[in-house]
Amino acid sequence: MTADTTDDVLDAAARAAITIGRPADELRALWLSPDVQSAIWADFADVSTADDGATDWVAHGPAGGTYRWRTAAQATDDEVRWSTLDGADVANTGVLTFRTAPGDRGTELHLDVRFDPPGGVVGEAVGKLFHVVPREIVAKALYRFRALALTGEIPTTDPQPAARNGGTDR
């Protein structure tokens, strides 16, 4: 997995790529599944699918700020593109491209996301929130997606009650 970033916070862009040993059509269908988006972006934002097919995002930022936006996606055989709809606190666009991996080893996924935070004091706070994006969020979303595609679940370090002895030693 690789990540390319820029340091320009006011025009925060992130790029990551990963190879998954599954066919592109299967991965595209999984990516477009409504519950998958909420799982892979969970560390960054609360994501839900609206009745009209749009996706609602809520990110929590510095000093208790909450930033909301709605995106609409379009899919083809080779890519999934999305962009924010009017009224977004943080305008953004993204594209996930599917390419056949060399040597018949599955599919390369290339994820590019660009955020355009507003100006002023709000923009400064949002800039602090999205400064993390180029370094971590996009690459982590692809990592989580790969885990889900290959194993059916996303690994976690959250406590797992079934594996605990309830505080008693035997």
Side-chain angles (χ1 to χ4, degrees):
M1 177 166 42
T2 62
D4 249 342
T5 64
T6 64
D7 291 329
D8 186 2
V9 174
L10 295 180
D11 190 17
R15 177 176 294 142
I18 199 165
T19 300
I20 302 175
R22 300 270 190 228
D25 57 342
E26 180 182 314
L27 295 173
R28 185 179 46 265
L30 182 62
W31 181 272
L32 292 170
S33 176
D35 56 335
V36 167
Q37 293 301 305
S38 62
I40 64 173
W41 298 103
D43 290 346
F44 169 63
D46 297 324
V47 182
S48 60
T49 302
D51 291 338
D52 62 2
T55 304
D56 293 315
W57 299 70
V58 179
H60 303 284
T66 299
Y67 307 96
R68 300 174 188 276
W69 61 93
R70 177 174 263 216
T71 58
Q74 297 177 331
T76 66
D77 287 345
D78 298 330
E79 66 184 22
V80 176
R81 290 184 171 271
W82 65 92
S83 60
T84 50
L85 302 175
D86 290 339
D89 289 342
V90 180
N92 66 82
T93 60
V95 61
L96 176 66
T97 306
F98 303 91
R99 299 180 188 154
T100 302
D104 197 28
R105 295 188 179 189
T107 306
E108 291 180 0
L109 281 72
H110 297 263
L111 179 59
D112 294 286
V113 180
R114 179 171 299 279
F115 292 93
D116 187 17
V121 174
V122 172
E124 186 176 329
V126 173
K128 289 179 183 175
L129 169 68
F130 291 105
H131 184 66
V132 177
V133 170
R135 286 189 227 131
E136 298 175 18
I137 294 173
V138 171
K140 189 169 186 178
L142 275 184
Y143 170 80
R144 292 167 68 101
F145 181 72
R146 179 180 64 186
L148 187 63
L150 294 176
T151 69
E153 61 186 17
I154 296 172
T156 180
T157 57
D158 292 341
Q160 300 169 2
R164 306 282 183 232
N165 65 11
T168 60
D169 292 332
R170 295 191 195 257

